[in-house]
Amino acid sequence: MDRNSPPPEQRKKRFTLVDLLLFSALAALILYAGYRVNDVLVYHWNWSRVLGFLVKYDQESESWVANLLLQGLATTLRLAIWATVFATLVGVVMGYWRTCQNLALRIISRCYVELIRNIPPIVFIFIFYFFVSSQLFPAIGIYNIDRDNPWVANEVFAFLFGDPALLDNFLAGMICLSLFEGAYITEIVRAGIQSTPKGQWEAARSIGLSPFNVLRDIILPQAVRKILPPLAGQFITLIKDSAIISLISIQELTFVANEVAATTTRVFETWILVGAMYFVLCYSFALLFAHLERRAKRSQR
Amino acid sequence: MNPAMNESSHTPPLVEISGLCKWFGEFSALYDINLQVNSGERVVVCGPSGSGKSTMIRCINQLEEHQAGTIKVDGREVMPGMKQIEEVRRDVGMVFQSFNLFPHLTVVENLTIGPIRNKLVSKTEATERAMHYLERVHIAEQADKYPPQLSGGQQQRVAIARSLCLQPKIMLFDEPTSALDPEMIAGVLDVMIELAEGGMTMICVTHEMGFARRVADRIVFMDFGEIVEVAEPETFFNSPRTERAKLFLSQLLGH
Ligand SMILES: Nc1ncnc2c1ncn2[C@@H]1O[C@H](COP(=O)(O)OP(=O)(O)OP(=O)(O)O)[C@@H](O)[C@H]1O
Ligand SMILES: [Mg+2]
């Protein structure tokens, strides 16, 4: 063998017998589940009715339009994106407070995090929802918004916030979700800030930067790079957690799925379809974030 | 008599430390430190590990807060929790053992961020100033790189330039060459010597005795959180007064 000869061929990773056995066991399990449903429960699969709730043919406009399930998916997405924005804001502020010198701010942020992490999300959402929708919204006049004024009754508004008639509901759900996820983002941000080496703080202070500038120019930019992967993960968790919001009658995917399952009585089909929709949504975002992360790494010299 | 000397004897000291005490919990890290550094003076601080050298100079720009005594920088008292501490820090450059450059900023940005955020100059002026000081530390060609791409010696010279960009009245060095490979040390010391010869007031914590002999006006020897001996370099190295200094020097030169 001389220097210029090609490298020896790498052994391909092959399916071993163990893998084969594992996969056959899994396949058998799935087949058995199918058999139970089909032959023991005598379940007659009927996908067409459920699929009809994805899109429908609108007679008036003579075109295909989104039906309940797709509308629900849109609401879920809208909810998730807005909640991410606000949860990030809350998380950055609270995450900073968790680490700052001021005792009062530290106590407030600590209480916030512990409160939310130590009660079940459903309980939190019920308490909070009834407080917000019965006390806060009347106080700030959300109910009195005129649904026909041009600021509200336009397509951009509908695209951003959904049906204006359901605005107060949407906002309540969004705030609940933001506060809930914000607590987890707070902890991610705190970890990011605290993981920045002490020398960076000292160097930044020693050149006369104000506390705000130290944070904004030196600490946060470094922290953000480190916390991007866990933040991306939290965003996907947020999409899944948004299903809880269905409990307070926000018409997102899980809520409409419940309705579809009830009206069609096709329980398996509905939930399998909805599960697939969630999967596609979340997995697409996961792939997107992984892609962005790789690109960020490469561009970083 | 030299008129400059005459003048400096009338102006108050640039740094005036008196009765400084500092505890970490129960541990007394500094006790009754008294030290005056005049404008243009170069002071080298040495002493065994853990003797409080870093803690002392870090009190001057309040990276550590002292609990007793007074510290004045250019006539102005610095106190823990003071509001205008940023103004003091602008006048007090500091160079760390581990460089502490900002890894997410380019070399130029490392240099310009201080002047820009302190609203001392416009962005273009800050960049001009940065290039000027990068040339002075012989590293202008690295301006657009990121710190992790530079060698240790280069990083430390950038760190020196970063402090100089604020045109401080005094520079503090905390073992600036201790983290460097031997072949990098000379470049950094050369820059420091040039600075000293340019008239910069300096307090250097260092064990580079060649450097100390060459530039120091005074050597301050510390042990167990106290200043044990202050002397001119020749006196200190050739005939130290105290036993502790003798022991320290013999250990330093011994191996
Ligand atoms: N943040 C801190 N918390 C507790 N103790 C500390 C802290 N910083 C320093 N000390 C202690 O104070 C003493 C003086 O530390 P200092 O860093 O000033 O020593 P030094 O003379 O600079 O030593 P070296 O040559 O190792 O850098 C040491 O005993 C150290 O353990
Ligand atoms: Mg030290």
Side-chain angles (χ1 to χ4, degrees):
Chain A
M1 207 199 275
D2 70 284
R3 187 70 204 256
N4 293 325
S5 62
E9 222 164 285
Q10 291 256 285
R11 269 189 64 205
K12 293 253 169 58
K13 288 202 175 104
R14 276 180 197 271
F15 244 56
T16 64
L17 189 63
V18 179
D19 297 324
L20 200 68
L21 281 175
L22 252 167
F23 274 101
S24 351
L26 254 173
L29 210 72
I30 292 169
L31 281 177
Y32 177 70
Y35 160 77
R36 285 286 301 187
V37 172
N38 277 321
D39 297 341
V40 181
L41 284 177
V42 204
Y43 192 85
H44 299 289
W45 294 94
N46 181 355
W47 286 94
S48 60
R49 283 203 61 199
V50 174
L51 288 174
F53 280 94
L54 279 176
V55 286
K56 65 176 176 213
Y57 190 75
D58 186 30
Q59 302 290 354
E60 279 174 35
S61 62
E62 299 192 334
S63 59
W64 290 92
V65 294
N67 203 350
L68 274 182
L69 285 176
L70 274 188
Q71 288 167 6
L73 186 72
T75 305
T76 290
L77 198 58
R78 216 176 266 137
L79 202 61
I81 288 172
W82 279 113
T84 299
V85 171
F86 284 100
T88 307
L89 283 178
V90 171
V92 168
V93 172
M94 288 287 170
Y96 167 62
W97 286 7
R98 289 280 274 129
T99 63
C100 78
Q101 296 279 320
N102 186 316
L103 184 65
L105 297 182
R106 273 209 319 273
I107 291 176
I108 292 172
S109 51
R110 178 81 194 269
C111 288
Y112 164 66
V113 169
E114 297 302 352
L115 204 66
I116 287 187
R117 286 204 306 191
N118 292 297
I119 53 180
I122 297 183
V123 176
F124 167 75
I125 280 165
F126 277 140
I127 297 172
F128 190 81
Y129 174 66
F130 290 119
F131 170 72
V132 165
S133 64
S134 69
Q135 302 299 322
L136 196 60
F137 281 0
I140 59 177
I142 294 270
Y143 285 132
N144 306 335
I145 289 178
D146 175 13
R147 316 270 183 225
D148 299 324
N149 86 36
W151 282 101
V152 174
N154 63 49
E155 269 169 19
V156 178
F157 188 90
F159 178 75
L160 291 177
F161 301 103
D163 186 351
L166 299 173
L167 181 64
D168 48 335
N169 239 355
F170 179 80
L171 284 182
M174 198 269 290
I175 294 173
C176 274
L177 202 56
S178 309
L179 284 178
F180 183 69
E181 299 295 328
Y184 293 90
I185 295 184
T186 298
E187 285 304 276
I188 295 176
V189 171
R190 178 187 62 83
I193 291 177
Q194 286 179 342
S195 72
T196 312
K198 212 168 143 244
Q200 292 291 312
W201 294 85
E202 292 178 349
R205 288 193 190 120
S206 77
I207 57 170
L209 297 188
S210 66
F212 174 75
N213 279 331
V214 171
L215 201 71
R216 191 193 62 184
D217 297 329
I218 308 301
I219 304 305
L220 282 182
Q222 295 184 57
V224 161
R225 274 168 216 208
K226 260 177 274 175
I227 65 178
L228 235 33
L231 272 186
Q234 194 60 40
F235 175 65
I236 287 163
T237 304
L238 186 150
I239 298 180
K240 290 182 292 174
D241 284 353
S242 71
I244 304 176
I245 295 293
S246 64
L247 285 170
I248 51 176
S249 314
I250 314 285
Q251 316 217 325
E252 48 68 75
L253 187 51
T254 301
F255 183 87
V256 295
N258 234 329
E259 290 193 328
V260 170
T263 45
T264 60
T265 66
R266 311 313 303 179
V267 178
F268 279 136
E269 289 92 333
T270 309
W271 289 112
I272 289 173
L273 180 65
V274 167
M277 287 167 82
Y278 272 117
F279 181 84
V280 169
L281 186 63
C282 292
Y283 195 59
S284 317
F285 274 112
L287 289 179
L288 177 72
F289 291 143
H291 173 74
L292 291 179
E293 216 176 291
R294 271 198 305 276
R295 252 197 22 198
K297 271 222 182 85
R298 229 177 300 138
S299 70
Q300 227 180 80
R301 83 216 96 200
Chain B
M1 200 177 181
N2 185 336
M5 286 272 291
N6 206 358
E7 194 187 13
S8 72
S9 63
H10 289 294
T11 52
L14 202 49
V15 173
E16 195 173 2
I17 302 175
S18 51
L20 173 67
C21 300
K22 162 90 188 152
W23 288 265
F24 289 111
E26 295 285 296
F27 175 75
S28 160
L30 292 178
Y31 182 73
D32 193 24
I33 300 285
N34 295 287
L35 182 69
Q36 298 195 347
V37 181
N38 291 318
S39 185
E41 205 179 7
R42 272 87 54 172
V43 173
V44 164
V45 182
C46 63
S49 180
S51 56
K53 310 177 294 290
S54 304
T55 308
M56 180 180 78
I57 65 167
R58 287 155 58 86
C59 282
I60 296 173
N61 65 354
Q62 288 292 298
L63 289 184
E64 301 287 358
E65 302 185 339
H66 58 289
Q67 287 122 350
T70 56
I71 301 173
K72 283 187 187 166
V73 174
D74 202 19
R76 178 183 203 168
E77 180 164 358
V78 293
M79 277 172 296
M82 72 188 283
K83 277 264 169 341
Q84 310 86 346
I85 187 64
E86 282 89 25
E87 290 169 26
V88 177
R89 285 175 178 159
R90 261 177 253 158
D91 289 341
V92 181
M94 184 167 233
V95 176
F96 302 86
Q97 184 174 349
S98 50
F99 329 136
N100 297 347
L101 293 177
F102 308 130
H104 62 296
L105 301 178
T106 63
V107 165
V108 192
E109 287 166 347
N110 264 276
L111 269 63
T112 54
I113 189 141
I116 290 174
R117 287 289 179 261
N118 285 306
K119 303 206 171 56
L120 301 179
V121 289
S122 70
K123 195 167 177 222
T124 44
E125 268 176 277
T127 310
E128 274 167 28
R129 199 190 267 190
M131 291 314 294
H132 168 76
Y133 284 110
L134 281 179
E135 259 154 43
R136 265 185 70 177
V137 301
H138 317 297
I139 205 163
E141 69 283 0
Q142 314 283 3
D144 294 318
K145 289 196 179 167
Y146 284 88
Q149 294 170 297
L150 304 183
S151 75
Q154 291 173 325
Q155 290 190 44
Q156 193 60 299
R157 282 183 276 150
V158 172
I160 294 173
R162 176 174 67 183
S163 293
L164 291 177
C165 272
L166 289 161
Q167 302 181 327
K169 298 191 173 120
I170 180 171
M171 289 284 290
L172 310 176
F173 292 85
D174 191 357
E175 307 201 36
T177 55
S178 302
L180 296 178
D181 294 334
E183 70 270 22
M184 307 279 176
I185 292 178
V188 172
L189 289 181
D190 284 346
V191 166
M192 290 169 64
I193 290 168
E194 283 166 28
L195 253 184
E197 284 166 357
M200 175 62 81
T201 313
M202 296 164 52
I203 303 180
C204 310
V205 176
T206 182
H207 292 152
E208 293 292 334
M209 290 309 151
F211 170 81
R213 277 176 194 271
R214 179 153 173 198
V215 306
D217 297 310
R218 275 187 293 158
I219 309 275
V220 170
F221 173 68
M222 293 181 71
D223 202 5
F224 294 114
E226 294 179 40
I227 294 182
V228 177
E229 190 167 339
V230 181
E232 290 187 355
E234 286 314 310
T235 324
F236 180 74
F237 289 119
N238 297 334
S239 51
R241 257 186 315 108
T242 58
E243 285 306 313
R244 285 199 260 176
K246 276 180 200 152
L247 185 67
F248 172 71
L249 283 173
S250 71
Q251 281 167 347
L252 195 68
L253 306 169
H255 50 245

